[in-house]
Amino acid sequence: MPASQPFIVRKAAVLGAGVMGAQIAAHLVNANVEALLFELPAKEGDPNGNVLKAVENLRKLEPSPLAVARKAALIRPANYDQHLELLRECDVVIEAISERMDWKSDLYRKVAPYLGEHAIFASNTSGLSINTLAQAFPENLRHRFCGVHFFNPPRYMHLVELIACDRTDASLMDDLEKFLVTTLGKGVIRAKDTPNFIANRVGVFSMLATIHHAQQFGLGFDVVDALTGPLIGRPKSATFRTADVVGLDTFAHVVKTMADTLPDDPWHKYYATPDWLKKLIDAGALGQKTKRGVYQKVGKDIQVLDVASGGYRVSGAKADDAIIEILKNKNPAEKFAQLHASTHPQAQFLWSIFRDSFHYCAVHLATIANNARDLDLAIRWGFGWNQGPFEIWQAAGWREVAQWVADDIKAGKTMTAAPLPAWVTEPQRVGVHTPQGSYSPVTQSNVARSTLPVYKRQLFPDRLLGESVQYGQTIFETDAVRCWHTGDDIAIVSFKSRMHAIGDDVLDGVLQAIDEAERNYAALVVWQTEPPFSVGANLKKTPAGGGERSKPSAAGALFKKFKRAAESAVLKAARTLNVADQLMAGKLAEVEHLVEQFQFTSQQLKYSMVPTVAAVDGFAFGGGCEFVMHCDRAVATLESYIGLVEVGVGLLPAGGGCKEFALRAAQEAKGGDAFPFLRRYFEAVAMAQVGRSAEHAREIGYLRPSDRVVMHRFELLAIAKAEARMLAEAGYRPPLKPRDIPVLGRSAAATIKAYIANMHAGKFISDHDYLIAGKIADVMCGGDVEAGSLVDEQWFLDLERKNFMELLATEKTQARIEQMLKTGKPLRN
């Protein structure tokens, strides 16, 4: 390939249609990369039967590996008997078959003659030696061979480990990294060719240490999971639930790989499968996939394995209140001092698992990772920890913790007597992460972040403890918002409220930002320094608390997180609404004024004299969704969950959301019958539909065809700014305000009400549901007017506000709000 020719992936192939292979193919088509999925030919029927079955199974998986269901049809099925010639068309080929060195070697020899001249061939092995695998590849092709380890599920887990063999071409690795980062949206870590690489090596050891100390301190598995989840900054699936989700057989295989390939490791004797785990695997209790493992569900009860009896008991044990109080301490140094000093078994258990993790990472850093940053990010992105091991250690006080670890080693309390490396206790050392870079024991220096051009698109990358960040230069700042720029003519406004809820102070700030942008800047971008984009309207001003980072979850938590997304959004909205207090204080007029102010701000975003761009990542609910709908353009990460969810607390969207849907239906009808378009939008509002991805939000209608979907969340701001600049440089003018919007009127509203009346008669919806849906229909159809009547946007906004206030005044809506506030669960009244 000539040096001047850019590397472009037009088509990719995945070899192996198992759980990982099929999901990698799914993520390729999520990113609009044409993907072939290979598998052995079926013994009967269609030779592609095995692949077709795997693709069909993708539609059933939760969380869905597909951004939208229709993407499944874009995966092209293939088999090794008929379609090897198709490999010549592929720029990237990813092998994802079972973790058997002999099977992989046989496959390499079979497909190598069919690879394209410049194709990259990568193995998705989770821990086998890349150099050993390369030996099965023709010598003249080894410079194009490497490892690329996706984490399960590939769509959601940010980490991909990239591993070179001794012969891999360096420029090839750079090209593949660019593809993985920008096209697939991944966080890439260059790992050394050591068993299980970085994340599995450290993460699985952490789980083994947890298992060891659970037995040592006599703690039940449910107690351990209560202690090792969110309380210490890890996913809700914690330890044993994570093992169930991953698969107990898979976990045992990774442990065996460590045992077989690391005979000289100081912790080698702990690389063993416990007897209780062997018994579960032998009995076919493999975790979530077999519906029985460490946990099982019997009726409504969740049961947990009791090692002493060998049977199951009802799960539900919790962390001790005294330990919870220690863990609530926001000062890491004080928290660890308390854990270290406590004689409580749960405190000693937690200190022990942290201590052994610090010890293990310090001893092995030089051999498994290029620097401390790579190790910490691998654990954060691959295992969902809020902070990596070295970050936790550094926050807790490097020197003091190092001394405690050294003391425990000397006292024989640690899992091995291996001493800490000399660099750990250097007199000047206070950590491994600094503004200049992260420590590398090999170079004995702090290593800065990658300078590959692809990372210039990440204006503010995922930062580590010890790294400084300055979000541009301030234009103005209030208690609720900050307006700023990065040294150019694009203004950015970011919210400071909790969960970026939108109250009157935020509305004032957005209006001020629009005014500032119109006077002095070319465009305005609405972007938050951390997800979510916004959980919606806040009718009670709450103290500014900054954004809350959305952390990656373990696979088992992902589905529950999404499944409850709309319900969670409603709860957050209800907590900020606090309508009950407003009503009790007789402040309905203030609420109505705030709704009117919200509508005015939405309209200003739409009709500003400079282009406005919403840069969305994470949740955009209720009023946040309405802001997105009113900006000239939305740029959203794939993992954006967007929706109008107000009906969950007995209300309807009143920040212009109903109006925008009615307007879009009229525009899409192009003079024809708008009812089919409006009915689809009505259902989105009435059913509080939340997009399962940005692409799904586009299908529902929250995003427009012109809106952009980006794969990498840390590239979002750069792309949003580029979009804003493109609009500005094209001679942007706001759209003219429509004054002749044709409405469907009372007849269409009656048709919709007849439809929902059938649901009401069938007891699918309650009396109050029927009332709410009827009011939504009235608003979106334009009110009590004749079909074809012409109205303007203000007409719809007045209808929204009127019906919102009428619902707010009802006892049943107030009861729904009160129920949500008290219990976090919706009331169906």
Side-chain angles (χ1 to χ4, degrees):
M1 181 184 295
S4 60
Q5 184 176 344
F7 175 74
I8 299 173
V9 179
R10 294 178 173 85
K11 185 181 296 186
V14 179
L15 309 182
V19 173
M20 280 299 291
Q23 290 193 73
I24 292 170
H27 196 59
L28 286 166
V29 296
N30 285 341
N32 293 325
V33 177
E34 187 175 350
L36 286 78
L37 181 58
F38 278 79
E39 189 48 272
L40 294 169
K43 295 179 180 179
E44 298 179 356
D46 188 336
N48 287 331
N50 291 331
V51 176
L52 294 172
K53 181 179 179 181
V55 172
E56 185 59 31
N57 285 338
L58 290 172
R59 303 176 189 270
K60 304 173 185 177
L61 290 177
E62 293 291 355
S64 176
L66 298 160
V68 285
R70 59 178 170 79
K71 291 276 189 179
L74 302 178
I75 300 172
R76 185 175 176 183
N79 66 78
Y80 300 120
D81 283 0
Q82 296 176 306
H83 303 119
L84 287 178
E85 284 288 343
L86 297 177
L87 291 174
R88 299 189 193 279
E89 307 169 7
C90 298
D91 303 293
V92 172
V93 178
I94 300 171
E95 169 270 304
I97 68 170
S98 297
E99 291 287 84
R100 285 275 300 269
M101 188 76 73
D102 53 342
W103 290 1
K104 290 178 185 287
S105 298
D106 289 344
L107 180 62
Y108 297 173
R109 284 186 281 267
K110 184 171 186 175
V111 302
Y114 298 93
L115 296 178
E117 183 180 356
H118 303 295
I120 297 174
F121 190 97
S123 173
N124 183 56
T125 178
S126 60
L128 297 180
S129 168
I130 298 301
N131 278 295
T132 302
L133 287 172
Q135 297 305 308
F137 224 59
E139 188 172 354
N140 64 318
L141 299 180
R142 287 179 194 165
H143 66 288
R144 292 191 272 133
F145 181 82
C146 65
V148 55
H149 180 210
F150 289 83
F151 276 67
N152 189 22
R155 170 184 161 185
Y156 300 93
M157 300 308 290
H158 191 55
L159 178 64
V160 169
E161 292 173 316
L162 191 55
I163 313 100
C165 73
D166 292 339
R167 295 280 302 279
T168 307
D169 184 273
S171 63
L172 175 148
M173 294 287 282
D174 293 347
D175 288 337
L176 185 55
E177 184 165 353
K178 176 183 177 182
F179 170 72
L180 292 167
V181 170
T182 288
T183 305
L184 298 189
K186 295 303 170 188
V188 173
I189 296 296
R190 300 277 186 107
K192 296 184 179 183
D193 186 22
T194 55
N196 291 343
F197 312 127
I198 301 174
N200 274 347
R201 179 76 176 271
V202 174
V204 170
F205 169 77
S206 176
M207 293 175 72
L208 290 171
T210 300
I211 292 169
H212 170 74
H213 290 300
Q215 180 179 0
Q216 179 186 4
F217 289 99
L219 302 180
F221 293 161
D222 50 348
V223 176
V224 170
D225 278 353
L227 289 166
T228 59
L231 282 176
I232 60 171
R234 298 182 188 178
K236 289 182 180 179
S237 54
T239 300
F240 294 103
R241 289 187 189 279
T242 294
D244 270 355
V245 170
V246 169
L248 300 183
D249 53 338
T250 302
F251 175 68
H253 173 79
V254 175
V255 173
K256 186 176 185 302
T257 298
M258 295 171 75
D260 292 345
T261 57
L262 296 167
D264 299 325
D265 190 297
W267 284 266
H268 181 265
K269 71 176 181 179
Y270 296 101
Y271 300 158
T273 305
D275 289 340
W276 60 264
L277 182 53
K278 291 178 182 176
K279 290 177 181 178
L280 286 176
I281 294 171
D282 290 343
L286 306 180
Q288 185 172 280
K289 58 189 173 185
T290 60
K291 299 184 179 180
R292 186 164 73 94
V294 176
Y295 291 91
Q296 67 175 3
K297 187 173 184 180
V298 178
K300 294 183 178 181
D301 291 333
I302 302 297
Q303 298 183 343
V304 63
L305 180 69
D306 181 81
V307 174
S309 68
Y312 287 84
R313 59 172 174 79
V314 175
S315 172
K318 298 179 180 180
D320 189 88
D321 289 343
I323 305 306
I324 292 175
E325 284 304 308
I326 292 175
L327 296 175
K328 284 181 179 178
N329 192 330
K330 296 187 181 299
N331 184 313
E334 292 178 3
K335 180 192 307 181
F336 271 83
Q338 290 171 338
L339 288 176
H340 179 256
S342 174
T343 58
H344 194 294
Q346 291 184 13
Q348 283 300 293
F349 162 77
L350 287 172
W351 161 246
S352 297
I353 64 171
F354 277 117
R355 175 201 64 209
D356 289 339
S357 174
F358 300 156
H359 188 191
Y360 190 87
C361 291
V363 169
H364 287 301
L365 175 61
T367 56
I368 67 173
N370 292 314
N371 54 68
R373 175 180 54 251
D374 287 354
L375 188 149
D376 275 351
L377 290 178
I379 290 298
R380 278 168 47 172
W381 295 344
F383 277 75
W385 294 16
N386 288 358
Q387 291 182 308
F390 286 125
E391 286 183 288
I392 298 169
W393 184 351
Q394 184 167 327
W398 185 271
R399 292 177 184 171
E400 189 163 24
V401 171
Q403 186 60 56
W404 293 339
V405 175
D407 290 344
D408 280 3
I409 293 171
K410 186 176 180 180
K413 295 181 180 180
T414 53
M415 296 170 71
T416 178
L420 288 169
W423 62 265
V424 170
T425 54
E426 291 171 345
Q428 75 281 11
R429 183 164 303 286
V430 293
V432 290
H433 301 304
T434 72
Q436 294 72 41
S438 296
Y439 185 71
S440 167
V442 174
T443 64
Q444 297 182 32
S445 64
N446 291 325
V447 178
R449 286 179 178 263
S450 171
T451 58
L452 286 177
V454 66
Y455 291 109
K456 293 180 180 178
R457 296 161 60 90
Q458 298 184 21
L459 302 183
F460 302 99
D462 200 359
R463 67 181 183 273
L464 290 156
L465 180 78
E467 291 183 319
S468 58
V469 61
Q470 173 60 44
Y471 291 104
Q473 302 170 41
T474 300
I475 300 171
F476 73 85
E477 187 168 6
T478 71
D479 288 342
V481 307
R482 177 173 179 257
C483 189
W484 52 287
H485 64 84
T486 58
D488 55 22
D489 58 353
I490 305 294
I492 303 162
V493 63
S494 303
F495 305 167
K496 296 165 63 179
S497 52
R498 186 175 183 274
M499 302 297 287
H500 306 133
I502 304 167
D504 57 349
D505 48 359
V506 171
L507 294 173
D508 288 341
V510 171
L511 290 172
Q512 185 178 347
I514 293 171
D515 178 65
E516 182 70 33
E518 286 182 331
R519 288 188 291 108
N520 298 310
Y521 293 87
L524 176 66
V525 173
V526 184
W527 177 80
Q528 316 300 1
T529 58
E530 303 286 354
F533 179 77
S534 173
V535 296
N538 176 6
L539 297 187
K540 179 184 178 185
K541 189 183 297 184
T542 54
E548 294 191 359
R549 178 183 292 270
S550 292
K551 289 295 179 181
S553 311
L558 278 166
F559 175 46
K560 292 179 181 177
K561 176 181 177 181
F562 179 80
K563 193 174 181 181
R564 298 177 58 194
E567 182 179 315
S568 174
V570 170
L571 172 59
K572 291 165 184 170
R575 283 175 174 160
T576 56
L577 282 169
N578 206 5
V579 175
D581 287 352
Q582 298 281 354
L583 291 170
M584 289 175 65
K587 295 182 179 179
L588 273 178
E590 290 185 19
V591 175
E592 185 167 7
H593 172 72
L594 182 56
V595 173
E596 190 171 10
Q597 184 186 8
F598 204 117
Q599 292 177 337
F600 178 75
T601 306
S602 295
Q603 291 293 90
Q604 289 299 105
L605 284 169
K606 184 173 182 178
Y607 293 110
S608 165
M609 292 305 296
V610 295
T612 57
V613 175
V616 185
D617 183 28
F619 296 151
F621 293 140
C625 175
E626 288 171 307
F627 270 13
V628 172
M629 296 172 73
H630 281 82
C631 285
D632 294 296
R633 190 79 86 241
V635 179
T637 63
L638 184 70
E639 301 312 326
S640 294
Y641 307 104
I642 305 171
L644 297 172
V645 299
E646 288 84 349
V647 297
V649 285
L651 297 169
L652 57 74
C658 293
K659 177 264 298 180
E660 278 299 296
F661 269 160
L663 181 58
R664 290 179 190 184
Q667 292 170 339
E668 290 166 13
K670 298 179 180 178
D673 183 8
F675 186 78
F677 302 98
L678 189 73
R679 176 168 173 167
R680 177 166 64 91
Y681 292 142
F682 164 80
E683 289 176 351
V685 176
M687 297 173 67
Q689 291 181 7
V690 174
R692 287 175 168 257
S693 68
E695 289 289 2
H696 187 217
R698 196 200 305 274
E699 282 193 352
I700 295 170
Y702 298 125
L703 297 183
R704 298 151 293 197
S706 58
D707 293 329
R708 309 291 184 196
V709 175
V710 301
M711 299 300 288
H712 203 296
R713 58 172 292 216
F714 292 105
E715 294 183 353
L716 176 63
L717 180 58
I719 297 169
K721 289 184 62 181
E723 196 76 15
R725 185 170 303 285
M726 180 188 70
L727 290 169
E729 292 183 353
Y732 173 82
R733 294 286 301 179
L736 296 175
K737 294 183 179 180
R739 304 186 185 281
D740 54 355
I741 306 167
V743 300
L744 293 175
R746 66 175 72 91
S747 59
T751 301
I752 293 175
K753 288 176 183 178
Y755 162 68
I756 57 178
N758 289 333
M759 297 182 66
H760 181 235
K763 298 185 178 180
F764 295 105
I765 60 175
S766 69
D767 292 348
H768 200 53
D769 291 328
Y770 178 75
L771 174 66
I772 298 165
K775 287 187 175 294
I776 294 170
D778 286 337
V779 172
M780 296 181 73
C781 291
D784 187 16
V785 297
E786 294 291 335
S789 298
L790 302 179
V791 303
D792 60 10
E793 289 182 297
Q794 190 59 48
W795 177 270
F796 280 108
L797 293 173
D798 291 344
L799 284 173
E800 282 186 354
R801 190 170 65 256
K802 172 180 176 291
N803 284 276
F804 179 94
M805 296 307 300
E806 288 177 357
L807 286 171
L808 186 56
T810 65
E811 290 184 4
K812 288 188 175 179
T813 284
Q814 294 172 29
R816 287 190 179 192
I817 293 169
E818 185 176 2
Q819 168 84 359
M820 184 66 76
L821 287 167
K822 286 183 176 179
T823 69
K825 297 179 180 180
L827 173 65
R828 302 260 55 90
N829 58 356

